[in-house]
Amino acid sequence: MEESERTIQNAIKAACSISYVSEKLGISRPTFYKYMEQYDAGDTERIPQPVRDFFTFVSERDRAEEDVILYFIRGEDGRDGNVAPSDLETKVVSELGRAMIVFPRADPENTVVDLMMDFNGRKVPIATYRPLPNVRFVTIDGLVSGQTFYYEVRSGNLSSGIRGFEIVPDRQSG
């Protein structure tokens, strides 16, 4: 691409749709187009910080659609720190080596659940789950009874925070 064609709009369109990004940033498409023009003109002071952060992310190198999706899922847009963990309500139902993690207010299309275990005081991800379309829960099988597991539900820029649950041993065995 010639330098004259290298605009923020072209960089974004090469990775994903303008509609997707403007929706994720919570701004209208016309406003987003205005911010792109300002950015390319070097007038960045009036562009909100989360939008500038995204523009920087996209312009650092060639990005794929997956990069952009992960950017918003992981909260790299700078808004993650402003969201209280209670903003994403969750509930766990567990028994006999199985857990169901429910997230009634999350958008299933944008939700991911990380399952973790504690290793020397660190919560280490051991699996990632995505719900089926239009389903607001994930079911996890094969969990060891008597163990404590941790999870974090992320949906867009919302997070449940890291929460723990225990798989209760089967009282009928042994």
Side-chain angles (χ1 to χ4, degrees):
M1 197 183 277
E2 289 182 29
E3 192 61 35
S4 63
E5 295 177 40
R6 195 137 175 92
T7 65
I8 194 65
Q9 183 175 339
N10 287 341
I12 293 169
K13 283 183 173 180
C16 63
S17 78
I18 299 293
S19 295
Y20 175 81
V21 175
S22 63
E23 178 184 326
K24 290 298 176 191
L25 290 171
I27 56 178
S28 70
R29 285 182 54 200
T31 299
F32 191 61
Y33 278 103
K34 179 181 82 173
Y35 291 153
M36 287 187 290
E37 288 174 14
Q38 289 174 339
Y39 185 85
D40 287 334
D43 182 16
T44 60
E45 290 182 20
R46 295 183 302 179
I47 301 171
Q49 190 63 49
V51 177
R52 278 192 309 218
D53 291 346
F54 177 75
F55 288 169
T56 300
F57 170 79
V58 169
S59 61
E60 287 174 338
R61 64 181 174 87
D62 288 340
R63 299 289 183 176
E65 183 177 24
E66 181 178 275
D67 296 327
V68 173
I69 291 169
L70 289 174
Y71 176 90
F72 288 110
I73 288 174
R74 292 180 178 154
E76 294 174 47
D77 56 10
R79 295 179 290 166
D80 194 41
N82 298 326
V83 177
S86 61
D87 285 345
L88 188 56
E89 175 187 10
T90 63
K91 181 176 181 174
V92 175
V93 179
S94 64
E95 65 174 30
L96 305 175
R98 185 175 205 186
M100 178 178 175
I101 301 174
V102 183
F103 30 89
R105 295 186 303 143
D107 171 14
E109 303 302 315
N110 261 343
T111 299
V112 52
V113 178
D114 289 321
L115 182 67
M116 298 169 246
M117 288 187 75
D118 187 279
F119 288 93
N120 298 320
R122 285 186 39 235
K123 307 302 183 270
V124 177
I126 58 173
T128 299
Y129 298 84
R130 294 184 185 276
L132 295 172
N134 300 314
V135 175
R136 288 184 166 81
F137 68 88
V138 295
T139 304
I140 305 168
D141 293 309
L143 300 173
V144 178
S145 293
Q147 295 295 309
T148 300
F149 293 89
Y150 300 87
Y151 72 93
E152 179 181 21
V153 177
R154 292 178 281 120
S155 184
N157 66 332
L158 299 177
S159 168
S160 66
I162 296 175
R163 300 178 179 189
F165 67 95
E166 187 174 332
I167 301 297
V168 180
D170 181 5
R171 292 191 175 110
Q172 296 175 351
S173 65

